[in-house]
Amino acid sequence: MIRYIRWCAWFCALLLAALLVNVARVQVWEAAAYGANPANKRPAVQRYAEPRGDILVDGRPVTGSRDSGQLLRYERTYANGPLYAPVTGFSSQTYGTSLLERAEDAILSGTDPGLSAFPLWYELARGRPSGGNAETTVRAAAQRAAYTGLAGRRGAAVALEPDTGRILALVSSPSYDPAALSGTGGSVKAAWARLNADPARPMLNRALRETYPPGSTFKIVTAAAALDAGVVTDVDAPTQTPDPYPLPGTSTLLPNAATGCQDASMAEAVQWSCNTVMAKIGVRVGLRAMVDAARRFGFNEGGLRVPAWVSRSNFDTDMSPDQLALSSIGQFNTTATPLQMAMVAAAVANGGELASPHLVDRTTQDDGDQVRRGQQRSLGRAMNPATALRLQEMMVQVVENGTGRNAAIPGAVVGGKTGTAQHGVGNAGTPYAWFIGWAKAEDAPRPGVAVAVVVEDAEAHRGDISGNGAAAPIARAVMEAALEAR
């Protein structure tokens, strides 16, 4: 009898060991697979069991959380959703996250180890601290000025602090209300389908993700390349450029929209936006030097994050001389995001140094204790300081006596460059209106804001579209608001 009991005990011990091995297999080796299984609702339930941390503008939350009373308890809410959607993105229980909601998700959802002095405790307890906050660099007045100026027209506006890279305004138009995507159910799915089917593409962040031909605003890059390379040593000297200008190696004549461009100097070409002069200068600079100059400003560089990712701006690296001529005035295959062109203006305003743009000033715990400070770093020198000073003088002339007079601000020094970018097959598309520039309060030691504005106004008459008419007034309003907020 004892022998049978002993065998039974060994058999029960074997079953217990098998059970423990299986538990270990499930809990350790296959835990990740079970956790990632779409049928497992526990991670989603846990994720939305507590309120999400907030995104702040000027120290005030522009996001919040609402107790829905559902299984996924807390839904995201947004204050002035369409105004700040290009900054916040959306946080949806159905479709995930985007933009800052995605980039700072660990902080906002409470899973970042920096939110607790004892992160291992929360790991063992399978809990998490309260969600932290992300304090943005955005200034509410500048953001609202850009949003109001675009007035629902397709386009974008970006404002930067030149010496730090802080993004003061980031607007994409038309916009949408991210609150429509926050929860679950048929209304959220209907809103998602409607927004994605909208031909105006309101969910596209045009400031960061759309690239446009920059048109004449790119002439600032060409002028910087010419001065740095020594191709132009006297910006007031005649350039012996015919009007129209024969594109090298072709019978095609490049015209000017402006008058008085024949034999104009580079300073006059920037002031009055002469295509012929700047195209010829670009050819004289040469392909390699133009590519290097564009790269120093940020073109052809992928991987930029603010912390949301930014589309790559393009300047072709293999072109014939006629293509180089067109690329040097922002046409052919040259494309740029509005953020990239704001970086061009900021580099000029900052004495040639290009600061890395960033959108988050710092992240904090829910009680305000700092977790991380946003990094201020340099992307390198885009041009020599003497070149930047000369370009500042030329850009001031654009606003005071040239094509950009609508950007002038009483009591401030403003420099700028207008652009009207052709696009489409045979340039048949309605042109894009551009303005890039910077502004400095009279009593300030250096410029306090740099901007880029692009307007896609499909309803405007083609002949009425210009950077000075459509984009410069918006830029002026944004720069005024930014200077007043300093």
Side-chain angles (χ1 to χ4, degrees):
M1 177 66 72
I2 294 177
R3 184 178 61 178
Y4 293 118
I5 294 174
R6 186 181 297 115
W7 279 108
C8 184
W10 279 111
F11 182 70
C12 290
L14 180 63
L15 291 177
L16 178 62
L19 180 62
L20 292 175
V21 169
N22 188 60
V23 168
R25 178 183 65 83
V26 172
Q27 294 282 343
V28 180
W29 283 283
E30 297 187 12
Y34 282 116
N37 192 309
N40 182 15
K41 295 182 179 180
R42 292 185 66 182
V45 171
Q46 183 181 16
R47 175 180 175 86
Y48 298 107
E50 300 291 338
R52 189 171 172 84
D54 286 322
I55 298 171
L56 310 181
V57 173
D58 283 344
R60 298 183 180 88
V62 297
T63 60
S65 295
R66 180 183 73 87
D67 189 347
S68 67
Q70 304 297 316
L71 183 63
L72 304 182
R73 184 171 177 182
Y74 284 95
E75 293 180 3
R76 197 57 150 165
T77 61
Y78 295 88
N80 297 312
L83 174 62
Y84 292 110
V87 176
T88 63
F90 60 78
S91 177
S92 172
Q93 294 175 347
T94 305
Y95 298 107
T97 55
S98 69
L99 297 173
L100 209 53
E101 292 275 27
R102 172 174 293 180
E104 296 294 346
D105 182 67
I107 287 287
L108 299 170
S109 64
T111 59
D112 191 293
L115 291 171
S116 171
F118 305 103
L120 183 60
W121 168 253
Y122 285 101
E123 186 70 24
L124 293 174
R126 295 188 178 274
R128 62 177 183 181
S130 299
N133 299 325
E135 297 185 7
T136 71
T137 57
V138 171
R139 294 292 170 261
Q143 183 80 1
R144 189 169 293 280
Y147 182 80
T148 302
L150 284 165
R153 292 174 293 175
R154 299 187 193 186
V158 180
L160 300 174
E161 195 171 67
D163 56 338
T164 66
R166 290 188 177 98
I167 298 175
L168 306 178
L170 186 74
V171 170
S172 176
S173 180
S175 189
Y176 70 104
D177 188 354
L181 304 176
S182 292
T184 59
S187 62
V188 171
K189 292 180 180 179
W192 178 264
R194 172 177 52 80
L195 290 169
N196 280 283
D198 191 331
R201 299 190 296 170
M203 293 180 68
L204 171 65
N205 191 320
R206 290 174 163 86
L208 301 179
R209 307 281 170 81
E210 184 72 302
T211 58
Y212 302 87
S216 292
T217 59
F218 189 82
K219 292 171 183 174
I220 297 300
V221 177
T222 301
L227 289 168
D228 274 356
V231 170
V232 174
T233 56
D234 182 357
V235 298
D236 297 314
T239 57
Q240 299 181 350
T241 305
D243 183 8
Y245 168 65
L247 293 178
T250 75
S251 58
T252 302
L253 297 177
L254 179 66
N256 286 299
T259 58
C261 290
Q262 183 164 340
D263 201 26
S265 67
M266 188 170 78
E268 292 170 328
V270 171
Q271 181 178 350
W272 299 109
S273 205
C274 297
N275 290 335
T276 53
V277 174
M278 298 309 297
K280 180 181 178 181
I281 288 175
V283 173
R284 289 178 59 201
V285 170
L287 177 61
R288 178 172 296 181
M290 281 297 300
V291 169
D292 287 344
R295 179 187 53 78
R296 290 194 297 271
F297 278 97
F299 285 81
N300 298 339
E301 296 291 328
L304 179 64
R305 292 183 175 272
V306 294
W309 66 270
V310 181
S311 293
R312 174 181 176 273
S313 298
N314 179 73
F315 186 84
D316 276 4
T317 59
D318 184 11
M319 291 181 280
S320 60
D322 60 309
Q323 294 168 341
L324 177 59
L326 293 174
S327 296
S328 299
I329 58 172
Q331 298 290 345
F332 190 53
N333 289 335
T334 304
T335 57
T337 62
L339 175 65
Q340 173 62 72
M341 296 314 298
M343 291 165 64
V344 170
V348 175
N350 196 35
E353 191 76 17
L354 182 59
S356 179
H358 60 280
L359 194 53
V360 177
D361 196 29
R362 65 174 191 149
T363 54
T364 68
Q365 298 175 1
D366 66 328
D367 60 3
D369 288 346
Q370 181 171 299
V371 177
R372 278 184 294 274
R373 170 71 64 176
Q375 289 187 343
Q376 296 181 19
R377 61 187 182 91
S378 172
L379 294 178
R381 183 160 289 281
M383 71 199 92
N384 294 325
T387 295
L389 182 60
R390 190 62 58 86
L391 285 175
Q392 287 180 18
E393 295 169 351
M394 290 192 288
M395 292 177 76
V396 168
Q397 285 301 308
V398 171
V399 174
E400 292 185 352
N401 301 300
T403 61
R405 297 185 184 187
N406 283 340
I409 300 173
V413 178
V414 180
K417 183 70 191 78
T418 57
T420 306
Q422 309 291 335
H423 69 101
V425 178
N427 290 335
T430 304
Y432 300 136
W434 276 95
F435 183 88
I436 66 171
W438 49 266
K440 178 176 79 71
E442 277 187 330
D443 57 347
R446 57 182 179 268
V449 60
V451 299
V453 176
V454 62
V455 180
E456 313 171 40
D457 194 349
E459 296 182 0
H461 186 272
R462 183 183 180 93
D464 295 336
I465 296 174
S466 70
N468 185 52
I474 302 172
R476 180 188 64 225
V478 174
M479 291 188 291
E480 278 186 304
L483 291 179
E484 291 174 1
R486 285 178 67 86

